[in-house]
Amino acid sequence: MINATALHKFFGDFHAVRGISLEVPPGEVLAFLGPNGAGKSTTVRMLTAMLRPTSGRAIVAGYDVALEPQYVRAQVGLLTEYPGLYGRMNAVDYLLFFARLQGLARAEAIVRAETLLRRFGLWDARTRRVGGYSKGMQQKVALIRAMLHDPRVLFLDEPTTAMDPHSAQVVREAIAELRDERRVIVLCTHDLNEAEMLADRIAVMRHGQIVALGTPAQLTRQHLGRPLWEIESAGPIDGAAERLRGLVDLEQTSGNRIRYRTDDPHHLNPALLDRLHDAGVGVVAMRELPRSLTAVYLQLVGEATSVASEVRL
């Protein structure tokens, strides 16, 4: 649904995007992560045909963003960080106005607007001016506007910002439903937990380049090493830990806990338990320790990278 090859964007002498290439199939949620100024928004503006690439090529929903921008715009929905609502209009009039710009027939637009307003809990407030809405409600209206013409590709910049937990959950459920309908969703967010929860793959950007791309599990494994496990015993385990050497590389031993790394817990862990049992050690718990996407992100954006000017992923 998205196929980008060696996209570059210059603003004068400033090289904002440096050779981005990626493919996004139908039914995938791709999250862009990166610090401010990493090139995320510029990349999205090129993929939505709002900005023309300086060089490179991108095909979105079957259309070239440089040669067929009007067709690209008809196939994508865009929620920007600052949605720019028309505050003096009520929600229904506002949505019908944008539906007309998208070429929807009025009857179809009325049905779509009502369906989406009900879905996001705004139907009872439909006749109020959107300028009087809370920030979370305004964000919902902007999201409905992006979805109104039933786009095949949806670009969402911080979609749950300023929302209360219930409203944010409604939006996340809507994103999951859209993925099930084989649409593409590109999510830009600073909420790493949201990215890990929603995204099939994550692209981390730094200095206009994609420096890492993969599933959360792939990124965690690649940048944080093998999974880390911990055994907790009923009493001191230091002496018995010697029995485990040679069977496993111990990461840390302290008091009644030992930590180790393994790729094959199904075979290794029973053997460890047998040895500890033979040593008279009572095991209270055995667990894989969680490893956060935050740790991966901080490592990637905080370290010096030597990525080539054009990266094929």
Side-chain angles (χ1 to χ4, degrees), residues 10-69:
F10 283 88
F11 295 99
D13 294 331
F14 178 63
H15 200 174
V17 172
R18 302 166 179 259
I20 282 182
S21 298
L22 78 160
E23 296 179 358
V24 186
E28 180 171 274
V29 177
L30 174 69
F32 277 118
L33 299 180
N36 292 333
K40 305 185 300 297
S41 294
T42 300
T43 300
V44 166
R45 288 182 181 123
M46 288 191 288
L47 295 177
T48 54
M50 292 176 64
L51 281 178
R52 187 182 182 93
T54 303
S55 63
R57 190 183 189 204
I59 305 296
V60 177
Y63 299 102
D64 189 299
V65 299
L67 302 179
E68 304 166 297

Side-chain angles (χ1 to χ4, degrees), residues 128-238:
R128 289 168 47 193
R129 291 182 177 181
V130 296
Y133 282 7
S134 68
K135 289 183 178 180
M137 293 170 69
Q138 290 180 352
Q139 188 76 350
K140 286 183 182 181
V141 173
L143 179 58
I144 291 172
R145 182 191 67 195
M147 298 172 59
L148 194 59
H149 59 297
D150 202 20
R152 297 171 64 192
V153 185
L154 198 57
F155 293 86
L156 306 177
D157 194 347
E158 302 290 349
T160 59
T161 187
M163 287 187 182
D164 62 84
H166 177 265
S167 296
Q169 183 59 30
V170 170
V171 171
R172 291 173 186 139
E173 290 173 357
I175 291 173
E177 291 173 9
L178 290 167
R179 173 174 51 195
D180 292 341
E181 295 170 4
R182 305 290 291 168
R183 303 174 197 272
V184 161
I185 300 171
V186 178
L187 179 69
C188 292
T189 181
H190 288 99
D191 187 334
L192 300 183
N193 291 328
E194 183 170 80
E196 193 165 16
M197 184 189 312
L198 293 175
D200 300 295
R201 289 191 300 160
I202 292 172
V204 181
M205 293 192 66
R206 185 173 185 266
H207 299 324
Q209 300 170 308
I210 294 179
V211 297
L213 176 66
T215 66
Q218 288 170 340
L219 295 181
T220 300
R221 169 61 189 274
Q222 181 179 353
H223 296 281
L224 299 182
R226 293 179 297 167
L228 183 64
W229 284 76
E230 179 181 83
I231 293 176
E232 179 183 353
S233 65
I237 203 171
D238 294 353

